[in-house]
Amino acid sequence: MEYEKQTEHKHHHVGYGTLILIWVALIALTSITVTIAGISLGSYTLFVALFIAAIKSSLVINIFMHIKFDEPIFKVFLIVSGFTLIVIFILTFSDFIYRG
Amino acid sequence: MANGAAAVAEKTFYEEGTSSRKGILGWLLSTDHKRIGLLYLGAVGSFFIVGVILGILMRLELIAPGKTIMEPQTYNAVFTLHGVIMIFLFIIPGIPAVFGNFFLPLQLGAKDVAFPRLNLLSWYIYIIGAILVLISLVLPGGPLDTGWTFYIPYSVRTGANVSLAIFAAFVLGFSSILTGLNFITTVHRMRAPGMGFFKMPLFVWATYATAWIQVIATPIIGITILLVILERVFGVGIFDPALGGDPILYQHLFWIYSHPAVYIMILPAMGVVSEIIPTFARRTIFGYKAIAISSLAIAFVGYLVWAHHMFVSGLSDTSAMIFSLLTFIVALPSGVKIFNWVATMYKGSIDPKPPFIWVMVFIFLFSIGGLTGLVLGSLATDVHLHDTYFVVAHFHYVMFGGTGTIFFAALFYWYPKMFGKMYSIKWANIAAALFFVAFNALYFPKFIMGYMGMPRRYYDYLPEFADLQLISTIGSWLMGITMIIIFWNLIHALLKGPKSKENPWGGVTLEWHTSSPPPLENFHVIPTVTHEPYDFSQLKEMKNYESD
Ligand code: HEM
């Protein structure tokens, strides 16, 4: 792919091809989520759904939001926010999983 | 730092604006951060007055058992509106939007915030949100009556105008996010030459930490509000167990935002305290780095304690224990600050002017608020005290006694800088003393009543509460008088007050190095920072300070 060759460039331009590819991938992942919701996976359902959602958001963040090509400070910001989000998930599950 | 350039005969930002328009349009279309700060001051101040009036009306209703001045349903609407106004329109935007806007660029040695137009847009979004709240009051269905927390299932079932009112909170959230975004960028990109992160004033640090909470946490309340609206309109069942939903999920989502939001309220106030104490103790702040880092620590750990609002909601016991522990941990960085402030005053040469006295009132009231928070954070005691007046007393002590008090302290501290005028010192001191008495008369009885079992959000009460309720109502009248004195003092000073000195308190952070009120782009020459932020040895070099 074109963007792999020039990652660190400031004014990076992602080709239409890539954008469309990512868009198709997002739609595909959405349909997988919907399909899986219909299959009973027991306690794994939620984790599978969250896993797919995580892949989708990383695609959007990296490509559509240009984080992959931007300065490192933005990655730091993002990692801090992402870390906060994960902690929030874990804490919420401390309620959900142990509820009597 | 720059040497406190004495005012050259140059125009202030009142005389010269960013747009060529004159009069009111010159303000409404201005992208100058100082004018926008004052626009916020006008709006936030007006809503605060409305909120106070509603509070006093509630207290009047509660002066004696039985109906006094309003119907029960009106009482429900009034405490909800009081809560919504005080939280979303006063205390969350209060210090960041007013003083953050005005002083962040000044303290950084910048000409403006990073995105001046976005800044003006934030103000307009705030006003649109506020107008939506007002419209929701008069539409058919009647005003919101859910309390400011909008808990389901009631908020989904009530006939009141929930959707529009909470949509207003959604809109207000955008104002908060954009302001946060603006401040983060400003801090990273606009610092004056020589100003490293650890040379920034502590108010900037606090505002910076707050801005991160605004950006990361606010979208969660946005989504939550949309889900409630969706539920009301389509009955999707996200929170309805009969349809496979989870009612407690609402409370999780709500508090995942609203608990960090209490740090949006208090952190900037703590920043102001860290400015005022060194200035009036003439000593550099004790533990600068500890205070700076504790702001970030509070911002982060503040995310991890939200479920302490939910101990009796059916939360799992495991979770309740974890959150109780985390709640005790978040008290640590706040303790770090209190100790550092007190240590700063130790052996200082204290000059007890009004801003300093207001800060002392803060330390006392906020400590009571914070410590009673630990009583509520302990599982066993919370079961007894949850949803009683004890909680009402606790959050008024932290929000009003904490942030509200510092809002006034900041106003008294920076008033000469903002307006170039001086208010009556005597009346500001009288107001502080009266505030202290009124506040404790108004809210301390609520701790006792709560402990005795008086539930919150009740229109009526048993006869045994009558005496304490009466004391509290008398307190609310004293509070009303205090507010009149404060506003009268400040407005009188604006219209007829004497011109203030350039640097009346002997402050040394960058905002005191320019003229008062500052010129359009803040500094005649962009300063180069050479001193630590609270190095008072530079007062000697500063031309604009004459000690009295
Ligand atoms: C003169 C000033 C004030 C008075 C007399 C007052 C009085 C009251 C009263 C009587 C209640 C209802 C208690 C109940 O029935 O449960 C209340 C609730 C509340 N107040 Fe205040 N208050 C004042 C200022 C403030 C300030 C400055 C803030 C915030 C910064 C604030 C925030 C709240 C909130 C969030 C509620 C809860 C509303 C709800 O239950 O949904 N109040 N206040």
Side-chain angles (χ1 to χ4, degrees):
Chain A
M1 291 278 142
E2 190 196 352
Y3 61 82
E4 281 166 353
K5 288 185 221 137
Q6 27 164 271
T7 30
E8 283 311 313
H9 283 227
K10 269 204 167 164
H11 299 287
H12 183 84
H13 196 75
V14 186
Y16 282 118
T18 319
L19 292 180
I20 292 175
L21 210 68
I22 299 293
W23 179 62
V24 173
L26 288 174
I27 295 196
L29 286 166
T30 308
S31 20
I32 297 178
T33 313
V34 176
T35 321
I36 287 185
I39 310 168
S40 176
L41 293 174
S43 52
Y44 294 107
T45 322
L46 198 59
F47 292 100
V48 175
L50 283 177
F51 182 67
I52 299 176
I55 300 178
K56 281 164 65 179
S57 39
S58 63
L59 286 175
V60 172
I61 290 166
N62 275 310
I63 314 294
F64 287 172
M65 293 169 73
H66 281 230
I67 289 298
K68 195 167 193 278
F69 322 109
D70 255 315
E71 286 173 45
I73 182 78
F74 294 118
K75 296 199 178 77
V76 175
F77 288 171
L78 211 78
I79 289 169
V80 173
S81 323
F83 179 68
T84 314
L85 186 68
I86 291 174
V87 177
I88 288 177
F89 267 116
I90 294 176
L91 284 172
T92 310
F93 280 109
S94 80
D95 168 32
F96 188 69
I97 294 174
Y98 293 103
R99 227 181 266 168
Chain B
M1 287 194 200
N3 53 357
V8 206
E10 244 189 88
K11 286 182 180 161
T12 69
F13 76 97
Y14 290 104
E15 291 147 3
E16 187 184 11
T18 51
S19 86
S20 55
R21 289 171 201 273
K22 290 271 166 299
I24 188 87
L25 274 184
W27 282 78
L28 291 178
L29 299 175
S30 171
T31 54
D32 177 10
H33 67 101
K34 299 180 289 305
R35 287 198 179 192
I36 295 175
L38 293 180
L39 286 177
Y40 269 113
L41 180 63
V44 166
S46 311
F47 284 112
F48 174 70
I49 293 173
V50 176
V52 166
I53 293 173
L54 291 171
I56 293 175
L57 287 178
M58 274 190 285
R59 284 307 328 160
L60 205 56
E61 169 52 45
L62 295 165
I63 191 170
K67 181 181 160 196
T68 319
I69 57 162
M70 58 176 99
E71 297 297 326
Q73 180 60 21
T74 317
Y75 186 81
N76 293 348
V78 172
F79 75 67
T80 304
L81 190 61
H82 170 80
V84 167
I85 288 181
M86 287 304 196
I87 299 280
F88 293 105
L89 295 174
F90 169 60
I91 206 105
I92 289 183
I95 295 181
V98 177
F99 300 105
N101 254 322
F102 202 107
F103 289 102
L104 189 82
L106 277 163
Q107 290 200 320
L108 287 173
K111 288 182 179 170
D112 206 313
V113 292
F115 308 115
R117 288 188 187 171
L118 198 65
N119 201 13
L120 183 62
L121 179 68
S122 312
W123 184 77
Y124 275 101
I125 296 178
Y126 171 87
I127 294 295
I128 292 171
I131 292 175
L132 289 179
V133 175
L134 297 181
I135 296 178
S136 81
L137 297 179
V138 292
L139 285 188
L144 188 70
D145 61 351
T146 59
W148 80 276
T149 48
F150 322 133
Y151 271 16
I152 57 102
Y154 186 67
S155 59
V156 173
R157 292 196 193 137
T158 169
N161 247 318
V162 176
S163 299
L164 185 62
I166 63 178
F167 184 71
F170 177 83
V171 172
L172 289 169
F174 276 93
S175 170
S176 194
I177 295 173
L178 293 182
T179 303
L181 203 66
N182 221 335
F183 288 176
I184 293 173
T185 318
T186 307
V187 168
H188 279 275
R189 296 283 193 224
M190 314 273 290
R191 278 169 290 135
M195 181 169 293
F197 259 77
F198 285 107
K199 279 202 178 146
M200 295 193 314
L202 289 163
F203 177 66
V204 174
W205 266 104
T207 313
Y208 176 73
T210 310
W212 272 109
I213 312 181
Q214 288 174 295
V215 170
I216 302 183
T218 316
I220 302 174
I221 191 78
I223 291 291
T224 315
I225 285 171
L226 289 186
L227 288 177
V228 173
I229 297 178
L230 211 66
E231 202 72 348
R232 275 182 77 85
V233 180
F234 298 109
V236 190
I238 299 160
F239 305 124
D240 184 354
L243 296 170
D246 182 352
I248 300 180
L249 180 64
Y250 173 82
Q251 295 189 23
H252 275 302
L253 287 171
F254 180 82
W255 288 112
I256 287 174
Y257 164 73
S258 296
H259 197 79
V262 309
Y263 297 102
I264 298 181
M265 306 170 197
I266 197 65
L267 272 173
M270 292 172 153
V272 174
V273 175
S274 307
E275 295 299 316
I276 292 179
I277 288 186
T279 304
F280 292 90
R282 279 291 181 282
R283 279 194 69 200
T284 183
I285 190 108
F286 185 87
Y288 170 88
K289 276 199 180 162
I291 296 186
I293 303 285
S294 69
S295 289
L296 292 182
I298 291 179
F300 180 70
V301 187
Y303 275 99
L304 315 181
V305 300
W306 78 85
H308 65 211
H309 297 271
M310 306 163 52
F311 287 155
V312 300
S313 71
L315 190 76
S316 82
D317 290 345
T318 318
S319 193
M321 284 187 280
I322 295 174
F323 276 104
S324 181
L325 175 71
L326 289 168
T327 301
F328 277 78
I329 292 177
V330 80
L332 295 178
S334 309
V336 165
K337 286 189 199 266
I338 298 258
F339 285 124
N340 279 309
W341 291 328
V342 176
T344 306
M345 288 184 266
Y346 180 65
K347 288 193 175 166
S349 95
I350 290 175
D351 183 13
K353 292 270 164 49
F356 183 83
I357 292 180
W358 279 89
V359 165
M360 291 305 107
V361 173
F362 159 86
I363 291 194
F364 190 86
L365 297 179
F366 183 71
S367 299
I368 296 184
L371 293 173
T372 50
L374 293 179
V375 177
L376 293 166
S378 313
L379 291 176
T381 34
D382 184 63
V383 172
H384 177 68
L385 296 170
H386 182 83
D387 258 351
T388 66
Y389 264 30
F390 194 91
V391 175
V392 178
H394 157 71
F395 68 66
H396 280 97
Y397 268 85
V398 280
M399 293 198 297
F400 193 7
T403 311
T405 307
I406 291 304
F407 189 83
F408 295 123
L411 210 51
F412 285 121
Y413 180 55
W414 278 316
Y415 191 90
K417 174 61 48 187
M418 296 163 91
F419 300 103
K421 295 285 183 82
M422 193 45 127
Y423 49 83
S424 151
I425 301 272
K426 185 177 102 192
W427 280 103
N429 287 338
I430 293 176
L434 201 59
F435 180 86
F436 186 78
V437 175
F439 192 93
N440 287 301
L442 173 53
Y443 298 115
F444 202 82
K446 289 191 199 280
F447 278 125
I448 306 171
M449 284 189 273
Y451 190 75
M452 288 162 67
M454 171 73 210
R456 72 186 278 202
R457 294 176 175 167
Y458 270 40
Y459 161 79
D460 201 359
Y461 50 84
L462 297 172
E464 60 254 42
F465 296 114
D467 294 343
L468 290 166
Q469 292 277 17
L470 179 65
I471 296 176
S472 177
T473 299
I474 295 173
S476 77
W477 298 336
L478 284 178
M479 185 55 86
I481 296 173
T482 314
M483 293 299 140
I484 294 172
I485 295 178
I486 293 174
F487 282 101
W488 167 81
N489 190 359
L490 294 178
I491 291 171
H492 180 82
L494 192 61
L495 302 177
K496 300 215 173 108
K499 205 172 171 315
S500 151
K501 289 182 203 153
E502 288 283 299
N503 185 1
W505 321 122
V508 290
T509 39
L510 283 186
E511 79 272 28
W512 299 109
H513 287 250
T514 184
S515 46
S516 310
L520 176 60
E521 291 191 333
N522 295 343
F523 298 92
H524 306 288
V525 187
I526 287 289
T528 304
V529 181
T530 48
H531 291 73
E532 301 297 322
Y534 304 101
D535 176 357
F536 286 90
S537 68
Q538 48 183 323
L539 265 184
K540 285 187 240 87
E541 314 155 21
M542 286 172 69
K543 294 182 197 123
N544 65 8
Y545 175 65
E546 343 143 15
S547 60
D548 37 26

